Amino acid sequence: MSSAPSDPEDRSKGGCDANQSALPSWFLDAAFSDTPFAEAFDAVGDSRRALLKTAIARLTTVYGTSAIAFSNESQGYSNGFTLSRHVRPAHCAFIVIDEHCASPSALLAALMPALLAGVPDVAVVRIAGKKAKQWPDSLLCAMELAGQELAVDVTMESFHALLADMSGSGVTCRLVLLGRRSQKLIAALAAQCNHDMEFRFLSEPSSLAAWFDHSFDYEAAAWAHPNAVRTCWVTDDDVEAPGWDCVHGSWDEFVVQRNDAWLVPVDHLAGLHGAVDVILGPGEEGSWLYPELNLGYFLHHVVALGPEGVGGC
């Protein structure tokens, strides 16, 4: 069912033909049309689109753009052997979400590294029931702004079929699973994954804490991370943080809490460095970053050891 190139040697020399997808034809046929993306773009509105554009700009600057189409290099060593290395982007990447995923910022943080790494075929795959819920406008708008055109709803059975089509085809694939680690999902991955198909789990932010400051747009942060429990620490009764639960407490109490991210004003940033993984300052309410994810995950490396004078992988 796959439309991947039939010659493994062609794939090893730099990837698939630019006009030919490595993904199964049935999967491509199930992709969304342009209409839902356009409707979501209009529904989200200017201010929220600006939030997403900032998130995309931050991720693009942080990761940069990989210039690697493919590379070969060989090094000969004085003790009589040669090391050759071949590097290219993986043929495809799947950003896998479930029906509970609702954070456009988390989706962009998982998606943008694959796009920036130059992976030819990137798909956002939502595992849903046969009567799938409508996608949140925020997710579709985020993909539209990022230039991500391929999004597909699949059942768990269809996801099994997708992995089966890709596994063993000679097509290198990277999966980022953004959501709950269900037993069915883990079983599907365990049954099909081989050395050409790598996966890692990430979590949508589930808890945010903020040290109150008037410079934050609390409504924007609530929109960007709707599934997260959001707690704002205050020292004054006469303040509001729309979309957040406010609690009274000291800075010392605040900093020992366990959360996925902290919103902290600029003059308090130094007090958190080294103690938490993700800190968002004013103006970054819609941004997100997975520290453990990088462009290298989406690159495929082949190394060869051989006698002195032998080069190439």
Side-chain angles (χ1 to χ4, degrees):
M1 297 175 70
S2 175
S3 59
S6 58
D7 184 355
E9 182 66 18
D10 289 342
R11 289 192 291 268
S12 71
K13 290 183 178 178
C16 304
D17 186 292
N19 297 317
Q20 189 174 27
S21 174
L23 304 177
S25 57
W26 66 265
F27 179 79
L28 296 172
D29 290 342
F32 288 2
S33 68
D34 292 339
T35 301
F37 292 99
E39 292 175 346
F41 182 89
D42 292 335
V44 164
D46 290 341
S47 63
R48 296 299 180 245
R49 287 200 299 268
L51 199 74
L52 297 175
K53 289 178 182 178
T54 296
I56 291 169
R58 297 293 182 266
L59 290 164
T60 302
T61 300
V62 168
Y63 287 112
T65 301
S66 174
I68 296 177
F70 65 95
S71 67
N72 284 301
E73 63 177 21
S74 295
Q75 295 174 307
Y77 291 86
S78 58
N79 52 345
F81 74 96
T82 298
L83 171 66
S84 300
R85 185 183 300 273
H86 177 75
V87 182
R88 57 165 170 75
H91 293 120
C92 64
F94 298 131
I95 312 302
V96 183
I97 63 175
D98 59 29
E99 287 187 276
H100 302 284
C101 182
S103 170
S105 301
L107 177 59
L108 287 172
L111 171 65
M112 288 300 296
L115 298 177
L116 293 168
V119 177
D121 281 317
V122 180
V124 177
V125 183
R126 188 177 72 160
I127 301 176
K130 293 183 179 179
K131 295 183 179 180
K133 299 177 183 178
Q134 184 174 344
W135 283 56
D137 287 331
S138 59
L139 298 189
L140 292 173
C141 183
M143 286 188 282
E144 174 78 359
L145 292 171
Q148 174 58 31
E149 300 176 347
L150 183 56
V152 184
D153 267 333
V154 298
T155 62
M156 183 58 73
E157 292 74 17
S158 295
F159 185 64
H160 271 275
L162 175 62
L163 295 183
D165 274 1
M166 302 303 296
S167 184
S169 64
V171 173
T172 54
C173 189
R174 301 290 184 267
L175 288 83
V176 176
L177 299 117
L178 181 61
R180 303 179 182 183
R181 305 186 188 191
S182 72
Q183 291 301 314
K184 289 184 178 179
L185 180 59
I186 293 172
L189 294 165
Q192 298 295 345
C193 283
N194 59 24
H195 70 280
D196 288 330
M197 186 177 292
E198 298 180 16
F199 65 90
R200 65 173 52 180
F201 284 96
L202 299 175
S203 297
E204 183 180 353
S206 61
S207 60
L208 305 180
W211 184 255
F212 182 80
D213 189 87
H214 289 285
S215 60
F216 282 112
D217 184 341
Y218 292 96
E219 288 181 300
W223 180 84
H225 304 288
N227 286 339
V229 174
R230 300 175 298 275
T231 306
C232 185
W233 290 66
V234 300
T235 57
D236 187 344
D237 288 328
D238 192 25
V239 297
E240 291 185 1
W244 292 64
D245 295 324
C246 291
V247 299
H248 286 265
S250 68
W251 174 260
D252 288 340
E253 293 172 307
F254 171 74
V255 297
V256 297
Q257 303 300 309
R258 293 301 304 165
N259 292 281
D260 291 327
W262 278 253
L263 275 70
V264 179
V266 173
D267 57 349
H268 285 66
L269 285 175
L272 278 180
H273 286 174
V276 300
D277 295 326
V278 179
I279 305 169
L280 302 174
E284 304 299 336
E285 296 87 352
S287 299
W288 192 253
L289 185 74
Y290 289 105
E292 66 270 41
L293 195 62
N294 54 51
L295 297 193
Y297 174 66
F298 297 97
L299 299 179
H300 184 67
H301 296 253
V302 179
V303 295
L305 293 172
E308 185 176 4
V310 176
C313 291

